[in-house]
C-alpha cells in the first residue's frame, strides 16, 4: 500500500514538473496555441478584476458600512500591493521559468471569492470591513507578484511586429467576456437588491471561483519559450541535474546586483526614465479621481445596476469593434502616437464626469462610457507597448517590476490624497449659483487637467524617442 502511494506521488510530481517546468514550445503552432490559451486565461483574469472591484466591490463595502472615501482608498490597495514586487527583484532574476509562479499566484485569486461570503458572517460591520480589507489586500499582493512574470511570459510569445494586432484582439475578446458577465451580475444584484442582497453576493462569489479555475487551467496549458540550465549537448536539464547546475552557478556568480543597484542602473537609462515618467503621470490622473466614480454612480447619482451594466455592455461592443483597428494602426504608426490620442479620450471621460449631476446622470453617463470605451480600447495596450518598445530585452523583467511596483505605491498615496480631498469637499457642501457641486466633479476636473499634461508629455518626449527593434520575441529557441 505504501509503495503504491509513493509511486502515485512520484507520478504526480513528474506530471506537474512536465507541465510547469518542461513545457517548451517546439513549433510556431505551439506558440500560437499558447497565445490562444493566454487569451482565455486573461479574459478570466480581467473578469475577476471587475467582479472583485469597481461597482461590485463598492456595493459589497457599502453593504458593510464603509464610507465613499474609504471605498476609493481600499480599491486602490491594488497599487499598494505592488510594493512587494520591488523586494522580490533578486528572486525574479534567479527564476529560469515563470510558469509555475504565474499559475500559483493566479490560484490565490480564490481570496476574492471568499470576500463575497463575508456578509454571511454574524459579526459587526466593522469586523466584516476589516476582514474584507485584509483578504482583498493579500489577494492583490499575490496578483502583483505574478503580474511582471505573466507580462514577460506573454511578451516572449508575441513578436514585436504583431503586438498591436494580438493584444487588441485579445483585449476585444476579454472585453466581450467581461461585459457579458458584468451585465448578468448587474441584473443579479438588481434582482436581489430589495430582497436579499446576500444571495447576490453568493452568486458573484461562486462565479469568481469558476473563473479562477478557468484562469489556472488555461495558463497551465500554455508553453514557455524560456529555458533553464543546459548540458554540454545543449539539452535542458531538470531535477537533480538542474539543482546541481544552480548550485554551481551560485559559486561562480559573485557580482549579483542588489535591489538598490538595479534601481540606480534603471534610472540611469534615458528610455526607462521616460517610460517610468509616463506611467506615473497616467497613475496620477487615474487615481486622483476614477476610483471614486463607482460609489458616485451608486450613491449620489443613484443609477440602477442594470442600467450601468447594460450601458457598459453596449459600449464595450463598440470597444470590441474598434480595438483591433487601433491595434493595427499602432503597428503601423507606433504605440506612442495611438496612446496619445486614446489618453486624450480618457481625459474627456473625466471631463464628462466633472459635469455629471443627478439631473443629467443618464445621458452624460452614456456619453462618458462611449468616450471611455474608445480610450480603454487601447490605453492599457499602449502603455504596455511603450514599455516593451523602450525596455532592453535582457532587463525587461526587472524594469517591468520596477515600474509596476513604484508607480503602484505612488498610485495608492494619490488615492489617499484624493480620498482626503473628497472627504473635505463633501463636508464643505459646495454650491455654485445655488446648485450643489459634488466632490467627485472636482476630482474629475483635476484628473482631466493632469491628463492633458500627460498627452503633451507623450507628444514631445515619448514619440521623439528612437525605438530599437527586438527580433527575439515570438520565436522558438531551444
Amino acid at each position: 500500500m505504501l509503495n503504491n502511494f509513493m509511486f502515485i506521488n512520484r507520478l504526480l510530481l513528474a506530471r506537474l514538473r512536465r507541465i510547469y517546468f518542461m513545457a517548451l514550445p517546439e513549433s510556431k503552432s505551439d506558440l500560437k496555441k499558447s497565445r490562444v490559451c493566454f487569451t482565455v486565461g486573461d479574459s478570466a483574469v480581467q473578469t475577476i478584476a471587475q467582479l472583485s472591484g469597481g461597482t461590485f466591490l463598492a456595493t459589497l463595502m457599502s453593504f458593510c458600512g464603509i464610507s465613499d472615501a474609504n471605498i476609493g482608498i481600499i480599491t486602490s490597495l491594488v497599487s499598494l500591493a505592488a510594493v512587494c514586487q520591488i523586494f522580490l527583484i533578486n528572486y525574479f532574476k534567479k527564476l529560469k521559468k515563470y510558469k509555475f509562479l504565474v499559475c500559483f499566484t493566479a490560484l490565490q485569486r480564490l481570496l476574492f471569492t471568499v470576500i463575497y461570503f463575508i456578509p454571511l458572517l454574524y459579526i459587526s460591520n466593522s469586523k466584516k470591513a476589516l476582514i474584507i480589507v485584509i483578504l482583498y489586500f493579500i489577494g492583490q499582493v499575490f496578483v502583483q507578484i505574478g503580474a511582471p512574470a505573466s507580462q514577460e511570459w506573454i511578451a516572449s510569445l508575441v513578436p514585436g511586429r504583431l503586438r498591436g494586432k494580438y493584444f487588441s484582439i485579445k483585449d476585444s475578446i476579454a472585453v466581450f467576456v467581461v461585459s457579458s458577465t458584468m451585465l448578468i451580475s448587474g441584473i443579479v444584484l438588481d434582482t436581489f437588491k430589495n430582497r436579499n442582497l446576500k444571495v447576490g453576493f453568493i452568486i458573484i462569489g461562486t462565479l469568481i471561483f469558476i473563473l479562477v479555475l478557468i484562469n489556472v487551467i488555461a495558463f497551465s496549458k500554455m508553453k514557455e519559450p524560456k529555458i533553464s540550465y543546459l548540458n554540454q549537448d545543449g539539452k535542458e536539464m531538470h531535477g537533480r541535474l538542474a539543482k546541481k547546475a544552480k548550485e554551481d552557478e551560485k559559486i561562480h556568480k559573485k557580482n549579483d546586483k542588489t535591489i538598490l543597484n538595479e534601481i540606480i542602473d534603471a534610472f540611469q537609462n534615458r528610455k526607462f526614465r521616460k517610460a517610468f515618467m509616463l506611467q506615473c503621470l497616467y497613475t496620477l490622473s487615474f487615481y486622483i479621481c476614477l476610483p471614486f466614480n463607482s460609489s458616485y454612480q451608486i450613491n449620489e447619482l443613484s443609477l440602477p445596476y442594470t442600467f450601468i451594466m447594460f450601458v457598459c455592455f453596449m459600449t464595450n461592443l463598440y470597444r470590441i469593434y474598434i480595438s483591433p483597428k487601433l491595434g493595427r494602426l499602432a503597428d503601423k504608426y507606433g504605440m506612442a502616437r495611438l496612446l496619445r490620442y486614446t489618453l486624450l479620450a480618457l481625459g474627456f471621460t473625466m471631463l464628462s464626469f466633472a459635469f455629471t449631476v443627478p439631473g443629467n446622470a443618464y445621458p452624460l453617463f452614456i456619453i462618458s462610457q462611449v468616450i471611455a470605451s474608445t480610450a480603454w480600447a487601447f490605453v492599457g495596450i499602449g502603455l504596455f507597448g511603450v514599455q516593451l518598445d523602450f525596455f532592453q530585452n535582457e532587463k525587461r523583467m526587472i524594469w517591468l517590476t520596477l515600474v509596476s511596483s513604484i508607480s503602484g505605491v505612488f498610485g495608492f498615496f494619490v488615492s489617499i490624497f484624493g480620498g482626503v480631498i473628497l472627504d473635505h469637499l463633501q463636508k464643505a457642501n459646495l454650491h455654485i449659483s445655488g446648485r450643489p457641486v459634488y466632490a467627485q466633479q472636482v476630482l474629475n476636473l483635476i484628473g482631466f487637467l493632469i491628463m492633458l499634461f500627460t498627452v503633451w508629455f507623450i507628444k514631445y518626449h515619448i514619440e521623439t524617442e528612437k525605438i530599437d527593434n527586438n527580433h527575439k520575441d515570438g520565436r522558438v529557441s531551444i
Side-chain angles (χ1 to χ4, degrees):
M1 185 70 179
L2 181 61
N3 289 335
N4 289 337
F5 176 77
M6 292 182 67
F7 174 78
I8 294 172
N9 186 47
R10 288 179 181 176
L11 187 65
L12 181 60
L13 289 175
R15 180 64 178 166
L16 292 175
R17 180 186 293 174
R18 181 171 292 277
I19 292 172
Y20 294 105
F21 298 99
M22 300 173 67
L24 289 170
E26 299 176 0
S27 64
K28 289 185 178 180
S29 177
D30 282 347
L31 291 172
K32 189 177 292 186
K33 288 177 182 177
S34 295
R35 291 195 289 264
V36 171
C37 287
F38 187 85
T39 300
V40 174
D42 189 63
S43 298
V45 167
Q46 292 191 41
T47 308
I48 294 168
Q50 292 298 322
L51 292 177
S52 59
T55 305
F56 296 98
L57 187 63
T59 303
L60 176 67
M61 291 191 286
S62 294
F63 185 82
C64 295
I66 301 175
S67 66
D68 287 356
N70 287 331
I71 287 173
I73 294 171
I74 292 168
T75 53
S76 300
L77 281 174
V78 58
S79 296
L80 182 62
V83 74
C84 65
Q85 295 174 353
I86 205 167
F87 298 109
L88 294 170
I89 284 178
N90 283 331
Y91 172 71
F92 289 149
K93 285 196 300 183
K94 294 173 184 177
L95 279 178
K96 297 294 182 180
K97 303 277 190 176
Y98 299 141
K99 185 174 182 179
F100 180 77
L101 174 68
V102 172
C103 292
F104 176 76
T105 52
L107 188 62
Q108 309 314 309
R109 286 184 171 87
L110 289 173
L111 291 173
F112 300 142
T113 291
V114 178
I115 65 175
Y116 277 96
F117 290 89
I118 300 302
L120 302 179
L121 299 177
Y122 291 99
I123 54 177
S124 64
N125 276 347
S126 59
K127 291 180 180 178
K128 289 179 182 177
L130 180 62
I131 295 172
I132 289 171
V133 171
I134 291 173
L135 293 181
Y136 182 72
F137 181 70
I138 294 173
Q140 291 296 350
V141 166
F142 280 106
V143 169
Q144 293 301 318
I145 289 173
S150 63
Q151 290 175 338
E152 168 66 19
W153 188 5
I154 189 57
S156 67
L157 292 167
V158 185
R161 70 183 186 279
L162 297 177
R163 279 177 186 156
K165 180 181 178 181
Y166 169 73
F167 285 118
S168 60
I169 292 173
K170 176 190 73 67
D171 189 59
S172 296
I173 294 171
V175 168
F176 179 76
V177 175
V178 170
S179 55
S180 301
T181 307
M182 289 181 67
L183 177 61
I184 295 169
S185 301
I187 294 172
V188 167
L189 284 186
D190 263 339
T191 301
F192 293 99
K193 180 171 63 176
N194 297 323
R195 287 190 274 173
N196 190 353
L197 196 55
K198 292 181 181 179
V199 177
F201 291 148
I202 292 172
I203 294 172
I204 293 175
T206 305
L207 184 57
I208 292 175
F209 175 79
I210 295 170
L211 289 168
V212 171
L213 295 183
I214 293 172
N215 175 210
V216 174
I217 292 170
F219 281 2
S220 297
K221 288 183 174 294
M222 289 173 63
K223 295 190 176 182
E224 184 178 13
K226 188 174 175 65
I227 55 176
S228 56
Y229 299 97
L230 300 177
N231 60 19
Q232 294 178 346
D233 298 324
K235 295 182 178 180
E236 192 175 33
M237 294 186 290
H238 299 279
R240 294 174 183 173
L241 293 176
K243 186 177 180 181
K244 186 178 184 303
K246 185 177 181 180
E247 292 172 352
D248 292 340
E249 185 182 58
K250 286 181 180 179
I251 295 172
H252 295 97
K253 206 170 185 180
K254 298 178 181 178
N255 299 321
D256 198 19
K257 291 183 179 179
T258 63
I259 295 174
L260 182 59
N261 288 334
E262 289 288 358
I263 295 174
I264 292 171
D265 285 351
F267 279 97
Q268 285 176 344
N269 184 280
R270 185 182 71 257
K271 290 184 178 179
F272 175 85
R273 291 197 303 269
K274 288 189 174 184
F276 176 76
M277 184 64 180
L278 172 60
Q279 183 68 35
C280 286
L281 285 172
Y282 163 76
T283 301
L284 177 61
S285 60
F286 182 97
Y287 281 100
I288 198 68
C289 59
L290 294 186
F292 307 98
N293 285 347
S294 295
S295 58
Y296 184 52
Q297 295 165 13
I298 297 169
N299 298 328
E300 281 83 359
L301 301 181
S302 300
L303 295 174
Y305 298 113
T306 303
F307 171 76
I308 293 173
M309 296 310 157
F310 179 75
V311 172
C312 289
F313 177 77
M314 297 304 296
T315 53
N316 279 332
L317 292 179
Y318 159 69
R319 174 180 169 182
I320 291 167
Y321 173 74
I322 67 167
S323 187
K325 299 180 185 300
L326 294 179
R328 286 191 289 270
L329 287 174
D331 288 332
K332 185 176 181 180
Y333 296 106
M335 289 282 180
R337 188 173 180 181
L338 262 292
L339 178 62
R340 172 161 58 94
Y341 292 127
T342 50
L343 280 179
L344 183 61
L346 185 59
F348 283 122
T349 301
M350 297 171 181
L351 186 63
S352 65
F353 265 105
F355 289 99
T356 302
V357 293
N360 61 16
Y362 284 87
L364 271 186
F365 178 77
I366 295 172
I367 293 170
S368 67
Q369 288 307 305
V370 172
I371 302 172
S373 293
T374 305
W376 291 122
F378 191 76
V379 166
I381 298 168
L383 287 169
F384 185 46
V386 167
Q387 291 172 12
L388 294 181
D389 285 343
F390 277 33
F391 291 174
Q392 298 172 12
N393 191 53
E394 63 276 7
K395 291 282 187 179
R396 189 167 59 192
M397 175 67 169
I398 304 302
W399 288 5
L400 285 171
T401 302
L402 287 174
V403 169
S404 178
S405 57
I406 299 174
S407 64
V409 176
F410 174 64
F412 178 72
F413 285 109
V414 170
S415 70
I416 292 178
F417 180 64
V420 172
I421 296 175
L422 179 74
D423 192 50
H424 282 293
L425 290 175
Q426 285 180 332
K427 291 177 181 176
N429 196 22
L430 297 176
H431 286 77
I432 295 180
S433 300
R435 296 181 178 181
V437 176
Y438 295 94
Q440 286 89 342
Q441 290 181 270
V442 179
L443 291 180
N444 277 281
L445 182 60
I446 295 172
F448 169 70
L449 296 175
I450 298 170
M451 190 60 78
L452 286 183
F453 180 76
T454 307
V455 170
W456 173 86
F457 180 80
I458 293 174
K459 182 174 177 60
Y460 293 102
H461 293 278
I462 300 295
E463 291 183 50
T464 54
E465 192 67 46
K466 185 179 178 181
I467 298 170
D468 298 325
N469 290 324
N470 180 357
H471 300 288
K472 294 182 179 180
D473 293 331
R475 293 180 179 270
V476 182
S477 55
I478 302 174

